[in-house]
Amino acid sequence: MQATKKIEVTDIWSEKLRSYTELLKVRLSILVAFSSGFGFVLATLGSIDWLQLAILLVGGFLLSGASSTVNQIIEREYDKLMSRTKNRPLPTGRISVSEAIGVALVTGGVGMLLLAQFTNPLTTGLAFLSFVLYSFVYTPLKRVGPIAVLVGAIPGALPPLLGWTAVTGTITHEALIIFAIQFIWQFPHFWAIAWVADEDYQKAGFKLLPSKGGKTVQSAVQIMTYTLFLIPLGLLPLKFGITGVDSAIVATVCGVLFLGQTFRLMMDGSRKVALQIMFGSFIYLPVVQIAYLLDKI
């Protein structure tokens, strides 16, 4: 009898942990933390302050999780309408709205306190701006039109900038370069997801694809155009002496391969190709960032 109860308790806690993992979008939050760590290490001259880096990673992770939680609180009724989101913790009732609010307050509050204590006012302010833009501006704009992607690209591109300012305390041209690369990357990334999930998004009234017609040649052309910009942007770290030639080659090859996928979308327009672009975007960013770190000057 006691063994059965222990199994039941274990199952309850396991389910609760899974629900929190989904609510905080742990994999996405890890990517956000990685991007901030990328900016931190790239900006560091000499030995790395491992404690400050660890605090930055934890703070970035918690703030990203808080943003994702607020996003799901606001969109909980719309999530019920879409196949890809109807099984999330809030639509299914596995986590209550009040509990989710508590999670957002704790994770967001602790994340902000860590950054305020261990970084600097500029980094803390930019982190708060990122949280507000994603949670309370980008989220409601998703039902207005594709301007949401422009707004969402700002907090999406801020993590490497936060890492840079945590070290330097200033926004330099080098910081703006790594911000710009991740900013432009957001567009093909977001639009590929919107293409794949278009039918679901229509059920919830989300309007994210760049043309009014949705999955059209015009949308595919815009996806290709923004991807094209990544190629010259990827060379700027070499131009300004941040990184060397090897990483420039990696960034160029990745950019050309990424661009090739978008050309296929213009010719094909299928969900399968859009899915390939989505996965390609997930590969492009960490590969290029790691290349920059290994080749920094």
Side-chain angles (χ1 to χ4, degrees):
M1 191 68 174
Q2 287 182 344
T4 303
K5 287 183 178 179
K6 285 182 179 179
I7 292 172
E8 289 176 353
V9 170
T10 301
D11 289 342
I12 290 171
W13 279 106
S14 177
E15 177 64 24
K16 183 64 73 173
L17 179 62
R18 188 169 71 87
S19 297
Y20 281 138
T21 299
E22 293 175 32
L23 189 68
L24 296 170
K25 292 187 179 178
V26 167
R27 284 181 294 181
L28 174 62
S29 297
I30 289 173
L31 287 174
V32 169
F34 172 83
S35 287
S36 63
F38 156 72
F40 186 97
V41 175
L42 198 64
T44 300
L45 300 176
S47 59
I48 296 171
D49 186 335
W50 293 104
L51 175 61
Q52 190 181 32
L53 174 58
I55 295 296
L56 177 70
L57 294 176
V58 173
F61 175 88
L62 291 174
L63 275 175
S64 176
S67 298
S68 296
T69 300
V70 173
N71 171 270
Q72 291 177 70
I73 293 170
I74 295 172
E75 293 183 348
R76 62 188 184 280
E77 295 301 323
Y78 305 128
D79 282 346
K80 292 178 182 179
L81 305 175
M82 298 185 288
S83 300
R84 64 189 293 270
T85 56
K86 66 183 181 182
N87 293 319
R88 283 178 173 175
L90 286 168
T92 57
R94 285 183 284 133
I95 290 180
S96 67
V97 174
S98 58
E99 187 177 359
I101 292 172
V103 170
L105 289 172
V106 170
T107 54
V110 172
M112 287 300 300
L113 283 173
L114 287 174
L115 294 179
Q117 183 69 30
F118 290 93
T119 61
N120 51 62
L122 177 60
T123 303
T124 306
L126 289 172
F128 183 71
L129 174 65
S130 177
F131 171 76
V132 171
L133 283 177
Y134 185 87
S135 302
F136 302 109
V137 183
Y138 161 71
T139 296
L141 280 178
K142 287 166 71 175
R143 288 172 53 83
V144 174
I147 190 174
V149 177
L150 173 63
V151 173
I154 299 171
L158 278 174
L161 181 61
L162 294 176
W164 190 281
T165 60
V167 175
T168 66
T170 59
I171 299 176
T172 63
H173 66 276
E174 296 96 338
L176 292 175
I177 287 170
I178 60 174
F179 170 84
I181 293 171
Q182 192 150 322
F183 178 77
I184 294 299
W185 169 85
Q186 300 283 321
F187 291 90
H189 172 69
F190 269 118
W191 284 334
I193 294 173
W195 194 293
V196 170
D198 186 54
E199 287 76 16
D200 248 4
Y201 279 175
Q202 287 183 35
K203 296 175 187 176
F206 293 158
K207 306 168 184 177
L208 295 178
L209 284 169
S211 71
K212 290 183 179 180
K215 295 190 291 185
T216 63
V217 174
Q218 289 79 10
S219 288
V221 168
Q222 290 201 54
I223 294 172
M224 182 274 295
T225 302
Y226 278 85
T227 308
L228 180 62
F229 285 136
L230 282 174
I231 297 175
L233 278 172
L235 296 173
L236 289 182
L238 170 65
K239 170 68 176 176
F240 287 91
I242 306 169
T243 58
V245 175
D246 291 343
S247 57
I249 293 172
V250 171
T252 302
V253 170
C254 288
V256 170
L257 292 174
F258 197 8
L259 182 65
Q261 291 180 316
T262 65
F263 271 112
R264 287 186 59 200
L265 185 66
M266 286 196 300
M267 301 298 294
D268 188 304
S270 68
R271 185 179 185 275
K272 179 181 178 181
V273 175
L275 197 62
Q276 290 171 349
I277 294 173
M278 186 182 77
F279 285 119
S281 69
F282 280 123
I283 295 170
Y284 172 89
L285 193 64
V287 168
V288 170
Q289 289 181 340
I290 289 171
Y292 286 150
L293 290 180
L294 294 175
D295 196 36
K296 79 167 189 170
I297 296 175

